[in-house]
Amino acid sequence: MTWVSPGHIPSTVEDEGRHYIMKPLTAKGKASFQKHATILFLVAPAFILFTTFVVLPVLQSGYYSLFQWKGLGPLNNFQGVGNFIRAFKDRIFRIALYNNVKIVIFSLIIQLPLAFSFALLVARKKYTGSVFFRGLYFFPYVMAEIVIGIIWRFIYHPQHGLPTLFSQWFTADKMEIGLLGDTNLAFWAIFIVVCWKYIGFHMILYIAGLQGVPEELEDAAVIDGASKVQVVFHIIIPSIRNTIIISVFLCIVGSFNLFDIVWAMGQGGPVHSTETLVTYLYNFGFKRFAFGYGSAIAVIIFLICLVFNLFYQKYIVGEAQK
Amino acid sequence: MANVILENITKVYPGDVKAVDNANIEIKDQEFVVLVGPSGCGKTTTLRMIAGLEEITEGTLTIDGKVVNDVPPKDRDIAMVFQNYALYPHMTVYDNMAFGLKIRKFPKADIDARVKEAAQILSIGNLLDRKPKALSGGQRQRVAVGRAIVRHPKVFLFDEPLSNLDAKLRVQMRAEISSLHHRLKATMVYVTHDQVEAMTMADKIVVMKDGLIQQIGGPLELYNSPNNLFVAGFIGSPPMNFIEGRVADNSNVFDAVDFRLPLTSQKASLVASYKGSPVIFGVRPEDLTLDPKGTEDNAVTGSVLVVEQLGEQLHLHVEMKDATIIAKVPPQTKVAVGDKVFLKPNMEKAHFFDKETEQVIR
């Protein structure tokens, strides 16, 4: 038996005595093979990179999460789901999870509606200063999160920060206000910064969506008798439904992955009041050389995002496309 | 009664851009008035001011005897059909048509009755459950009209509703809108850049250019007695022919570069004060007749550039030194490209225009 290249088409049935293990390709088959080979060739680099830097690390994390492991030496202390049980039994883990859920909920209630309101104001260039304000609102998004965290630490400084300044200007007792040191207020202080950072991003998404809504639609609704609020709820919001779906998705997934701002502003403190899942992973996983446990936390975050994504794709995105 | 009166209406945009300059238009009850003109002439701005979608800088707008300058659109009792239909994409045809009534809290039964009535008039009863993306251009246009009809408004406003349709559908929809006007006995204000639509549909035409009203009148009045060069050239297809020349000093003759035309006594007296001065001679294509015995001293003279056979008539494009004109002649006329022809104008229907002011000489 001799292998013959697929493109070789014999002139006679018995070509040099070779036996063919597959049918010789017709011109159509040759074209189809070339087409698939081209596709494979073009997709391969991205596929390899994705597999190497996303899929494999996730699988590796999943593997490590089953062990108690300090990051060095062999993996020989198998825990099974022990790390996961430990996480859910840990009060601080539950605080972190609760904080993430709070961020999701309040981002959906406060951050996105504010972003949408700003977008409504600046989407149409006919308003004076709209282009300037677009840039202004978007500016925080382009700054690095660590930088933002450090800047706001100064803004919240108990002696020299803005809250203390306002207290000295406008209150009788002129108290020093250290928001980041107060277990009741630190979370909200950080949440304000998260909103400040991401409102611009969502605003830009909504502006892009709004620019796909013809002004004639709004005119038609106004003539039909709709007030400005009714135009927004009956016409504009349904028209940018797909944009809203994307914005909500990014907001929720982003909220579960929040780390840099929180870390820069307090590393999850004071007393874990601003702990999030990722800061918890860092504090209780990597800093304490508990890589197995840290991997378990990473797997939990991954599974939360995965389940949410599957649910969202099926019930929200799928319904929107119908 | 649903008359609309625009008194000294002016619209100035930031940067001192005057989109509409001192417009005075009276639209009587049940009248079909067409605002026509080239792009940028201010016709859509005028319509939007009537609708309340644009603020009026100066002047007074009255609908049904009531000044409505500061009245919001929803309270003016008007309905509008847009150029791009402006159908709500996420709503069905039924919901599109019912939206205005739902917002105004009409009873459900009333809404249903009105929507079905409008659907029946426009033959779109079978489309009520569809969304706009599942409709053809003509169907969308009907739904847009239906959305206006259900409101039973005092005034209908149309902003170039047929410009996105193909030529055949445009002809059909023109007839349907005219028929609708007679059926509903409604006041309609219609904006278009197509003078054919204006001529075929209007009771009254308002010709606009650069924000100014050039002339207001019935179709035949504008066609036969244009006030100026712009109206004369804009109304009519093919457009009026214009030939520059001068009135001879000492005889009643129009002297163009290639030919001379003797003037009738009526025309001579009209242009008596223009002797020796340049004027523009205007004559419609159908008012030119081939004269085999004509000469350069008594007929428009030139050589045939193009022959267009239309079946019911022949369009001759005749080239002269300074201009090219079009003449409509019988379809069986034997004439070829390159032939020298003499065209006798019907001087009773011809016009003279002042070259500087472009106004008709009367």
Side-chain angles (χ1 to χ4, degrees):
Chain A
M1 271 303 168
T2 308
W3 287 93
V4 180
S5 70
H8 179 80
I9 300 172
S11 53
T12 61
V13 171
E14 287 177 344
D15 186 16
E16 298 176 9
R18 285 185 174 131
H19 297 271
Y20 293 94
I21 58 170
M22 57 183 170
K23 281 185 185 172
L25 283 174
T26 60
K28 191 177 171 188
K30 192 174 173 185
S32 175
F33 173 79
Q34 275 177 347
K35 181 181 164 190
H36 287 97
T38 306
I39 292 169
L40 206 62
F41 175 71
L42 291 170
V43 166
F47 181 76
I48 291 167
L49 284 170
F50 183 76
T51 306
T52 308
F53 294 106
V54 178
V55 176
L56 287 178
V58 169
L59 292 173
Q60 211 168 26
S61 276
Y63 180 65
Y64 293 157
S65 70
L66 302 173
F67 293 86
Q68 191 176 355
W69 184 51
K70 291 183 189 296
L72 296 166
L75 285 145
N76 50 17
N77 192 348
F78 182 75
Q79 300 286 305
V81 296
N83 283 332
F84 297 92
I85 294 171
R86 178 183 154 197
F88 282 98
K89 279 185 174 173
D90 186 359
R91 183 185 65 91
I92 300 167
F93 173 82
R94 292 198 301 273
I95 290 172
L97 183 60
Y98 175 62
N99 281 341
N100 272 113
V101 172
K102 267 201 306 188
I103 291 171
V104 166
I105 291 171
F106 286 104
S107 292
L108 292 176
I109 294 171
I110 297 172
Q111 194 187 125
L112 296 195
L114 270 178
F116 180 64
S117 306
F118 289 161
L120 281 177
L121 289 171
V122 302
R124 309 278 188 213
K125 283 190 183 155
K126 62 184 177 186
Y127 299 114
T128 311
S130 57
V131 175
F132 169 74
F133 280 105
R134 267 193 231 179
L136 194 68
Y137 296 147
F138 188 64
F139 179 68
Y141 183 71
V142 302
M143 293 171 67
E145 291 196 14
I146 289 286
V147 170
I148 287 173
I150 293 169
I151 289 171
W152 277 86
R153 266 181 54 186
F154 283 109
I155 292 173
Y156 286 142
H157 195 279
Q159 279 90 48
H160 312 297
L162 272 181
T164 301
L165 202 63
F166 288 150
S167 164
Q168 284 166 358
W169 284 349
F170 299 118
T171 64
D173 48 15
K174 300 185 195 305
M175 271 171 43
E176 279 183 0
I177 299 176
L179 292 176
L180 293 178
D182 187 326
T183 53
N184 292 320
L185 296 175
F187 173 85
W188 299 111
I190 290 176
F191 179 71
I192 286 170
V193 180
V194 170
C195 285
W196 181 82
K197 160 90 177 162
Y198 289 104
I199 275 177
F201 170 73
H202 291 284
M203 181 196 72
I204 290 292
L205 282 183
Y206 293 133
I207 287 174
L210 286 170
Q211 286 180 343
V213 180
E215 281 190 59
E216 268 187 358
L217 275 192
E218 295 175 49
D219 290 342
V222 163
I223 287 181
D224 271 344
S227 63
K228 283 190 180 148
V229 171
Q230 285 172 321
V231 170
V232 168
F233 281 95
H234 289 285
I235 306 301
I236 293 179
I237 289 177
S239 296
I240 63 165
R241 184 168 67 159
N242 290 338
T243 305
I244 293 173
I245 285 171
I246 293 169
S247 172
V248 166
F249 178 82
L250 292 173
C251 178
I252 293 174
V253 171
S255 297
F256 275 106
N257 289 296
L258 204 59
F259 174 74
D260 298 40
I261 290 177
V262 178
W263 190 259
M265 295 184 74
Q267 301 180 15
V271 197
H272 308 293
S273 61
T274 63
E275 202 79 59
T276 62
L277 288 174
V278 185
T279 60
Y280 178 85
L281 182 163
Y282 193 79
N283 274 324
F284 291 83
F286 301 137
K287 271 176 83 174
R288 297 183 186 191
F289 288 92
F291 288 97
Y293 184 62
S295 296
I297 305 302
V299 169
I300 291 171
I301 297 171
F302 171 75
L303 287 173
I304 290 172
C305 292
L306 180 67
V307 167
F308 165 71
N309 179 43
L310 291 171
F311 168 84
Y312 205 74
Q313 292 294 331
K314 186 172 162 76
Y315 293 106
I316 308 295
V317 177
E319 283 302 308
Q321 280 171 353
K322 279 185 191 168
Chain B
M1 277 277 284
N3 59 347
V4 180
I5 300 174
L6 289 79
E7 276 183 73
N8 306 319
I9 293 287
T10 298
K11 174 69 185 177
V12 181
Y13 285 106
D16 278 334
V17 175
K18 225 175 217 181
V20 178
D21 191 356
N22 203 34
N24 286 281
I25 307 171
E26 185 186 350
I27 302 163
K28 297 194 175 92
D29 183 32
Q30 298 182 29
E31 209 171 27
F32 194 114
V33 172
V34 174
L35 308 181
V36 69
S39 296
C41 71
K43 54 191 188 293
T44 296
T45 306
T46 305
L47 194 80
R48 287 173 66 84
M49 283 193 283
I50 297 173
L53 297 172
E54 295 281 354
E55 266 189 46
I56 297 169
T57 311
E58 278 175 43
T60 311
L61 173 67
T62 312
I63 297 178
D64 209 11
K66 183 180 157 201
V67 173
V68 296
N69 284 42
D70 298 319
V71 174
K74 64 184 179 76
D75 296 326
R76 295 191 184 195
D77 206 0
I78 50 108
M80 191 157 169
V81 179
F82 293 84
Q83 180 176 358
N84 294 314
Y85 323 126
L87 297 181
Y88 310 124
H90 53 286
M91 296 184 192
T92 60
V93 166
Y94 184 100
D95 291 333
N96 261 279
M97 291 168 69
F99 179 73
L101 302 175
K102 280 184 188 165
I103 286 286
R104 289 162 204 268
K105 302 204 188 328
F106 273 60
K108 238 179 165 181
D110 277 358
I111 295 175
D112 195 63
R114 285 195 187 200
V115 169
K116 290 195 170 139
E117 181 200 2
Q120 192 252 326
I121 291 171
L122 295 163
S123 307
I124 52 172
N126 58 328
L127 304 176
L128 292 176
D129 291 329
R130 288 200 204 172
K131 289 212 175 143
K133 64 182 176 190
L135 303 176
S136 68
Q139 289 169 335
R140 288 181 198 181
Q141 194 51 270
R142 285 167 201 266
V143 174
V145 173
R147 185 172 61 182
I149 290 177
V150 297
R151 296 260 321 283
H152 294 179
K154 281 185 187 149
V155 182
F156 284 84
L157 305 175
F158 293 86
D159 186 7
E160 303 202 50
L162 308 184
S163 57
N164 288 344
L165 304 178
D166 62 72
K168 192 175 170 188
L169 202 49
R170 224 179 289 158
V171 170
Q172 184 189 332
M173 287 301 297
R174 241 170 36 207
E176 289 199 23
I177 291 174
S178 291
S179 164
L180 204 63
H181 173 239
H182 291 296
R183 182 175 178 156
L184 299 177
K185 296 190 185 349
T187 306
M188 289 187 177
V189 185
Y190 188 103
V191 158
T192 182
H193 62 271
D194 184 341
Q195 57 90 28
V196 173
E197 279 177 30
M199 290 291 288
T200 54
M201 298 168 80
D203 295 324
K204 185 154 71 189
I205 300 175
V206 178
V207 180
M208 295 183 74
K209 182 191 170 198
D210 297 333
L212 288 162
I213 292 177
Q214 302 296 305
Q215 190 172 354
I216 300 176
L220 271 181
E221 184 188 337
L222 261 59
Y223 191 81
N224 292 329
S225 307
N227 276 354
N228 59 36
L229 214 59
F230 175 78
V231 176
F234 190 84
I235 300 288
S237 181
M240 185 183 282
N241 299 300
F242 297 120
I243 304 165
E244 289 189 16
R246 53 178 61 241
V247 181
D249 278 328
N250 50 10
S251 58
N252 294 329
V253 167
F254 171 71
D255 198 351
V257 175
D258 297 319
F259 60 90
R260 283 154 295 284
L261 289 176
L263 301 174
T264 59
S265 53
Q266 186 228 3
K267 285 292 188 244
S269 61
L270 266 181
V271 298
S273 56
Y274 284 83
K275 284 197 173 172
S277 302
V279 292
I280 296 174
F281 176 66
V283 62
R284 294 210 179 270
E286 63 271 21
D287 295 327
L288 289 166
T289 317
L290 271 174
D291 183 2
K293 294 180 185 164
T295 66
E296 284 93 349
D297 289 324
N298 62 17
V300 177
T301 309
S303 53
V304 177
L305 190 63
V306 176
V307 177
E308 288 178 333
Q309 179 59 266
L310 271 78
E312 81 274 15
Q313 59 196 210
L314 208 64
H315 285 187
L316 292 182
H317 293 247
V318 176
E319 190 182 29
M320 301 172 295
K321 263 211 186 82
D322 284 351
T324 302
I325 63 168
I326 300 175
K328 286 184 190 175
V329 299
Q332 64 275 20
T333 306
K334 296 269 184 284
V335 66
V337 172
D339 286 354
K340 187 167 182 178
V341 292
F342 301 94
L343 297 159
K344 258 287 173 47
N346 181 343
M347 293 304 281
E348 297 305 311
K349 292 196 174 173
H351 304 277
F352 284 95
F353 299 91
D354 185 308
K355 189 173 176 184
E356 272 184 39
T357 66
E358 296 187 354
Q359 297 300 305
V360 73
I361 299 170
R362 287 204 174 109

